[in-house]
Amino acid sequence: MTEKTRYNDEELQEFKQIIDQKLALAKRDYDQMMRVLMNKDGNDVDDTSPTYKVLEEGSATQSKEELIQMASRQQKFITGLEAALVRIANKTYGVDRITGKLIPKERLRAVPHATLSVESKQNRKK
């Protein structure tokens, strides 16, 4: 029996559905973060209130910085998912980029944008 070198079209379609769902959620979350950062939904008085509450301003700045970091991570996640869709179209999805072996389905279901198996990732860190 020969070892599989790629997932078949039916399996790729299953992964595509998973990725499409995660991508829709990720884009929705990213859009929400950006709306908050750009104050698109706000009717508050943050920009017109007196600025004598220094501690509150520091807290607001820290929260904004954390939100910017989260948005950046979310954008990276979206890019990874979009790249996974390209690999599905090219029929190279699920192939470990170091060993050339198939990444286990369980890992791809949990981390659909993975390009390395757990083993390859651990070996790379050493």
Side-chain angles (χ1 to χ4, degrees):
M1 186 173 141
T2 60
E3 190 174 328
K4 280 175 65 171
T5 57
R6 75 171 193 88
Y7 287 110
N8 65 38
D9 291 344
E10 188 176 298
E11 292 166 318
L12 290 175
Q13 189 59 36
E14 174 193 342
F15 291 125
K16 184 179 183 318
Q17 289 175 345
I18 292 169
I19 292 169
D20 285 340
Q21 289 172 352
K22 288 191 181 263
L23 189 57
L25 288 172
K27 284 182 176 181
R28 184 200 69 198
D29 291 348
Y30 178 77
D31 288 343
Q32 285 177 331
M33 287 180 221
M34 295 309 293
R35 290 184 75 77
V36 169
L37 284 170
M38 293 181 200
N39 201 25
K40 295 223 176 181
D41 295 331
N43 278 340
D44 54 8
V45 293
D46 281 350
D47 56 348
T48 59
S49 62
T51 56
Y52 57 85
K53 298 179 182 174
V54 176
L55 291 176
E56 287 182 16
E57 285 178 3
S59 177
T61 300
Q62 182 179 1
S63 295
K64 200 167 204 171
E65 288 173 1
E66 290 170 358
L67 194 57
I68 289 169
Q69 284 182 329
M70 286 173 50
S72 176
R73 282 194 301 267
Q74 194 71 0
Q75 184 61 45
K76 185 177 176 185
F77 180 56
I78 289 169
T79 302
L81 291 172
E82 289 171 341
L85 289 174
V86 170
R87 290 192 302 278
I88 286 175
N90 294 339
K91 300 186 190 275
T92 59
Y93 179 79
V95 178
D96 186 310
R97 63 185 164 96
I98 292 178
T99 65
K101 296 179 182 177
L102 284 183
I103 299 170
K105 284 184 181 182
E106 298 77 28
R107 172 153 170 78
L108 292 172
R109 286 185 184 118
V111 186
H113 58 289
T115 58
L116 296 172
S117 65
V118 173
E119 180 183 332
S120 291
K121 191 166 184 161
Q122 288 172 343
N123 288 339
R124 202 171 125 199
K125 287 183 179 179
K126 291 181 183 179

